[in-house]
Amino acid sequence: MTKKPYYITTPIYYSSGNFHLGHCYTTVICDAIARFKRMDGFDVFYLTGTDEHGQKVQQRAEKAGVTPKKFVDDLYEQIVALWKTLDISYDKFIRTTDSYHELTVQKVYEKLLASGDIYKSEYEGLYCTPCEAFWTESQLVDGKCPDCGREVIKQKEESYFFRLSKYQDRLIKFYEQNPEFISPKSRMNEMINNFIKPGLKDLCISRTTFDWGVKLPFDQKHVAYVWVDALTNYITALGYLQPDHANFDKYWPADLHMVGKEIVRFHTIIWPALLMALDLPLPKKVYGHGWLLFGNDKMSKSKGNIVDPFFLVDRYGVDPIRYFLLREIPFGSDGSYTNEALLVRTNADLVNDLGNLVSRTTAMITQYFGGEIPSPNTYTDLDKELISLCEQTLSKVRTDMDNLSAPDALTDIFRIIQRANKYIDETAPWTLNKNGDKDRLATVMYVLAECIRFAATLLKPFITKTSNIIFEKLGIASPDNFKGIAKFGGTVAGTKVNKGENLFNRIDVNKELKELDEIAEKQNKQTKADEKTADELIDINDFAKVKLVTAKVLSCEKVAKSDKLLVFKLQVGDEIRQVVSGIAQHYSPEYMVGKTVVLVKNLKPAKIRGVESNGMILCCDDDGKVVFVSPEKEVACGKVVR
Ligand code: ME8
């Protein structure tokens, strides 16, 4: 039987570095969905990647003193390491600097030009560089970018435009016919009221103010707008407009684009309109999840509250982190991370419920049956209650996952675990053993082993490593589908269990919180020290911005009504410059005439006491005494100083 394709994507991540736990949220959720769908018989294609072009990357690379390519290569390594640490099972990783992607973006622009969806004009707007987004005055919040709250700048440039306005009515009709397209529902209303109703304007889709991007094939001065470049990844990764397009034929349209709520508008307005213009089918669903907050704030470097996923995984293991993200955050809404919430959740669910069930059961099978899972005898009503709970859970979890609610799915799976723990107390196996009731004891052990097998199978998409360890303990091969849990009774009697070590160790929450505080304090101190060092150091490119030249003093006078200021006429090559300098208390005008000084040539002109000054004379501050800088030997004026 051919499997049904299922195409799921995360956004492609900005190559900005400092990946935090919030970033992991989208990818871990998609991973759980992808793994669930694979086990449930779908032919899954899970795509993730990196968004590597744009002004922001170019600026950051310049600041770091490396080429943009080197900059994005380093960050690519970081994010691949992060996804490995979190056990992410993507099928493809796309980088927007991959040549097949760049070539296809060019073909997309050509297609849009040919269909008349692109035209050339001039753009003037308010641009937020960090978000790579233009805003209208009315969209700003307190005059700042509504997404990140930072300053916007006025930018004007010759640009190509996409006829977004043309698709307004078709978009509204599409939303009406596909009410599930934008989920959760609240986000649909937000899009319609905030963006569509005020009227869609044509979208500026090229830039000339920087060059780190895909060059437009028909006008090389322009690079593609980073959002068009980025959104197109969802089809270029599948081979769209490429010789091998088998994946595109098979997987497009996407079943699910999972994105954070702040980028829903790009995915539900611009992206479908572009697809309409390309005459392609639209994705089935865009889900806008909430943010992982730290307290009440969004995690971000500038707020200094980022939680390092590498640190957490190293300290607690990958599954407590995956479990926390999937279980604790109400899906669709914002959720809050605190160390305490992570530790309490780990202790309650993983150590107490799951860990105890597995260790108690394997210990009892070892003690009462020499480690072999016994054959069950007649099932009582109590047993049947557990059996039917186990058999019903897959369909419940399937519904939860179709609703994209991992917290509900985990709650349903943990019902088996919690019920089984209660069953141990109700059946009191130690009493059965004492009373020599081996038949009943065997049935109880078998029911428990089966409950664990059901739970571990269902947990596999969520806590991947732990589930595999449980199967090792049960002596059963870890399944890669759900077929084995269609019916209770799949465990073969006689299978040898292996108790081994505890799945999770209990955490002393108060002690641990204290230690974490101490670590955070140390790190903060270190970060501050590092930032101070970074502030003090500039790279060669920064220095090169300052143009220093030698200049000869032609004349020098006191500025009227000022004790401190002298006004100079300087010969700089062929040019004569007027410069005001505050050295009147240290040098007389007569002394200065004929001297050679060093001038900062490219300082913006300024008026000092009403006198125009075009540059600055370099001086040393020798404990309050000012000494002007001069070449050690006679040098002609206008020579570069570096
Ligand atoms: O937006 N909580 O990339 P990105 C939850 N390159 N999710 C968070 C989060 C938080 N605190 N912080 C970030 C981009 N994310 C674009 C996408 S797609 C064609 C281009 C999520 O690196 C964020 O919502 O800023 C998004 O889903 C993902 O991390 C990547 O964000």
Side-chain angles (χ1 to χ4, degrees):
M1 208 180 75
T2 51
K3 292 180 176 180
K4 205 169 160 224
Y6 185 85
Y7 181 32
I8 176 169
T9 69
T10 69
I12 45 173
Y13 283 71
Y14 278 132
S15 297
S16 52
N18 295 309
F19 298 113
H20 54 67
L21 197 61
H23 286 119
C24 305
Y25 188 49
T26 324
T27 309
V28 168
I29 291 164
C30 286
D31 188 63
I33 298 169
R35 285 176 185 271
F36 184 86
K37 287 281 179 189
R38 283 189 201 111
M39 286 186 74
D40 209 19
F42 287 79
D43 174 356
V44 172
F45 194 89
Y46 173 18
L47 177 73
T48 191
T50 36
D51 192 351
E52 301 188 352
H53 289 132
Q55 192 167 18
K56 191 167 53 174
V57 172
Q58 188 163 336
Q59 286 172 346
R60 291 215 165 122
E62 264 168 29
K63 197 159 175 225
V66 295
T67 62
K69 180 71 178 123
K70 165 87 176 96
F71 186 78
V72 294
D73 282 352
D74 288 351
L75 289 161
Y76 163 73
E77 298 291 333
Q78 260 188 47
I79 200 155
V80 166
L82 179 59
W83 298 155
K84 192 156 181 253
T85 304
L86 286 165
D87 213 6
I88 304 298
S89 65
Y90 55 80
D91 294 287
K92 180 161 178 143
F93 192 107
I94 182 169
R95 303 178 60 182
T96 51
T97 52
D98 286 336
S99 61
Y100 72 85
H101 171 80
E102 293 184 343
L103 283 171
T104 314
V105 170
Q106 291 185 322
K107 285 187 197 160
V108 163
Y109 269 81
E110 265 165 351
K111 241 175 156 261
L112 295 173
L113 187 73
S115 64
D117 281 288
I118 287 184
Y119 63 93
K120 196 172 180 178
S121 182
E122 202 170 59
Y123 189 84
E124 186 171 351
L126 300 159
Y127 191 67
C128 174
T129 309
C131 296
E132 317 257 14
F134 272 105
W135 301 99
T136 59
E137 199 84 52
S138 64
Q139 286 169 332
L140 301 184
V141 176
D142 298 331
K144 305 225 164 95
C145 170
D147 273 355
C148 73
R150 277 178 267 214
E151 295 290 339
V152 289
I153 45 169
K154 250 202 179 139
Q155 250 186 37
K156 188 171 177 179
E157 55 186 272
E158 173 197 279
S159 293
Y160 287 88
F161 281 76
F162 171 61
R163 293 189 196 280
L164 184 61
S165 58
K166 177 174 138 187
Y167 292 95
Q168 169 151 344
D169 295 342
R170 266 179 80 183
L171 280 171
I172 293 176
K173 203 156 162 217
F174 177 76
Y175 299 155
E176 279 166 8
Q177 286 167 347
N178 299 275
E180 301 275 292
F181 173 64
I182 309 179
S183 296
K185 248 199 167 58
S186 56
R187 310 235 188 269
M188 167 87 96
N189 302 336
E190 200 181 309
M191 287 306 115
I192 295 181
N193 294 334
N194 296 359
F195 296 102
I196 308 265
K197 277 201 182 143
L200 286 181
K201 293 207 170 65
D202 288 352
L203 179 73
C204 170
I205 55 158
S206 77
R207 298 281 183 270
T208 50
T209 45
F210 61 93
D211 62 3
W212 180 241
V214 178
K215 292 210 164 27
L216 300 199
F218 42 83
D219 195 340
Q220 300 268 324
K221 273 205 320 283
H222 293 252
V223 292
Y225 171 40
V226 74
W227 270 101
V228 175
D229 173 1
L231 288 162
T232 317
N233 95 88
Y234 299 130
I235 50 179
T236 62
L238 296 179
Y240 174 62
L241 296 180
Q242 293 155 62
D244 181 2
H245 47 78
N247 277 339
F248 182 73
D249 300 342
K250 181 165 159 192
Y251 292 108
W252 191 256
D255 293 272
L256 177 62
H257 290 316
M258 179 70 76
V259 302
K261 63 181 180 182
E262 79 285 10
I263 54 174
V264 168
R265 110 188 142 94
F266 297 96
H267 285 81
T268 56
I269 298 174
I270 300 175
W271 182 223
L274 281 171
L275 290 166
M276 284 172 181
L278 293 169
D279 215 6
L280 292 175
L282 305 198
K284 293 176 200 154
K285 191 188 277 290
V286 174
Y287 194 99
H289 67 67
W291 285 339
L292 183 64
L293 305 176
F294 189 86
N296 292 321
D297 272 342
K298 192 176 181 208
M299 254 175 225
S300 80
K301 175 95 198 306
S302 57
K303 296 206 169 106
N305 62 5
I306 59 171
V307 177
D308 178 3
F310 287 107
F311 170 81
L312 291 182
V313 171
D314 189 45
R315 200 162 173 93
Y316 307 112
V318 58
D319 283 342
I321 308 308
R322 284 178 66 107
Y323 184 77
F324 177 85
L325 291 173
L326 293 164
R327 173 68 183 81
E328 182 88 11
I329 319 294
F331 204 47
S333 325
D334 290 346
S336 179
Y337 171 86
T338 61
N339 290 330
E340 187 173 0
L342 170 70
L343 302 178
V344 168
R345 180 58 82 179
T346 304
N347 270 349
D349 295 8
L350 300 180
V351 181
N352 278 2
D353 290 350
L354 180 61
N356 274 347
L357 175 67
V358 173
S359 72
R360 285 162 94 190
T361 304
T362 48
M364 288 189 291
I365 293 174
T366 307
Q367 190 187 340
Y368 304 144
F369 294 95
E372 281 185 11
I373 301 173
S375 259
N377 296 291
T378 320
Y379 290 130
T380 64
D381 284 348
L382 183 65
D383 304 338
K384 285 180 193 156
E385 189 200 321
L386 260 90
I387 293 171
S388 89
L389 177 66
C390 284
E391 289 181 343
Q392 284 163 12
T393 302
L394 173 59
S395 88
K396 280 195 208 143
V397 174
R398 190 178 281 133
T399 309
D400 297 331
M401 293 306 273
D402 283 344
N403 294 334
L404 304 176
S405 180
D408 286 340
L410 286 167
T411 305
D412 281 328
I413 301 168
F414 268 74
R415 284 220 171 88
I416 300 181
I417 296 162
Q418 283 150 358
R419 185 67 195 84
N421 271 322
K422 193 162 161 234
Y423 174 83
I424 298 182
D425 299 336
E426 287 164 347
T427 52
W430 42 92
T431 312
L432 296 174
N433 182 54
K434 210 164 93 196
N435 297 342
D437 193 350
K438 273 271 170 187
D439 280 1
R440 180 69 193 136
L441 188 61
T443 308
V444 169
M445 290 302 116
Y446 188 84
V447 168
L448 286 172
E450 269 293 85
C451 284
I452 295 175
R453 186 178 68 84
F454 267 71
T457 307
L458 289 162
L459 282 174
K460 217 177 152 179
F462 305 92
I463 46 174
T464 48
K465 290 210 159 52
T466 304
S467 168
N468 285 336
I469 297 172
I470 297 175
F471 279 106
E472 272 169 34
K473 287 180 183 291
L474 287 182
I476 300 173
S478 181
D480 56 12
N481 59 54
F482 293 130
K483 287 186 190 140
I485 55 166
K487 269 220 104 29
F488 198 86
T491 297
V492 179
T495 304
K496 222 160 162 48
V497 302
N498 162 31
K499 184 179 174 305
E501 287 178 5
N502 285 345
L503 284 178
F504 300 97
N505 291 321
R506 165 164 288 286
I507 305 166
D508 179 337
V509 175
N510 287 335
K511 193 166 153 240
E512 181 66 8
L513 285 175
K514 214 170 141 232
E515 257 179 59
L516 289 175
D517 281 348
E518 282 162 13
I519 294 171
E521 202 174 312
K522 245 194 221 160
Q523 273 173 350
N524 280 344
K525 270 194 194 144
Q526 186 59 44
T527 312
K528 279 199 187 119
D530 290 350
E531 274 170 7
K532 199 159 170 252
T533 321
D535 277 351
E536 283 164 0
L537 297 178
I538 58 165
D539 67 44
I540 190 82
N541 296 322
D542 291 329
F543 178 69
K545 286 182 195 149
V546 185
K547 304 279 179 239
L548 300 173
V549 288
T550 54
K552 187 135 208 140
V553 181
L554 297 177
S555 70
C556 180
E557 288 168 22
K558 284 201 157 193
V559 172
K561 293 190 200 143
S562 168
D563 299 340
K564 292 190 182 146
L565 299 178
L566 295 177
V567 54
F568 291 81
K569 289 265 177 341
L570 300 175
Q571 181 83 45
V572 187
D574 297 336
E575 190 193 344
I576 294 180
R577 286 273 188 125
Q578 175 166 298
V579 175
V580 176
S581 178
I583 58 174
Q585 288 174 335
H586 305 274
Y587 293 105
S588 67
E590 304 76 51
Y591 180 80
M592 291 307 297
V593 175
K595 295 282 184 297
T596 299
V597 295
V598 176
L599 173 76
V600 182
K601 196 181 165 197
N602 59 339
L603 210 60
K604 279 187 187 152
K607 279 216 163 135
I608 305 174
R609 285 283 176 106
V611 183
E612 168 121 0
S613 178
N614 287 297
M616 187 176 91
I617 293 172
L618 281 197
C619 294
C620 318
D621 182 350
D622 183 15
D623 292 333
K625 222 170 90 210
V626 173
V627 183
F628 73 86
V629 176
S630 185
E632 184 247 336
K633 281 192 197 116
E634 196 49 45
V635 176
C637 65
K639 297 290 170 205
V640 173
V641 178
R642 47 171 172 236

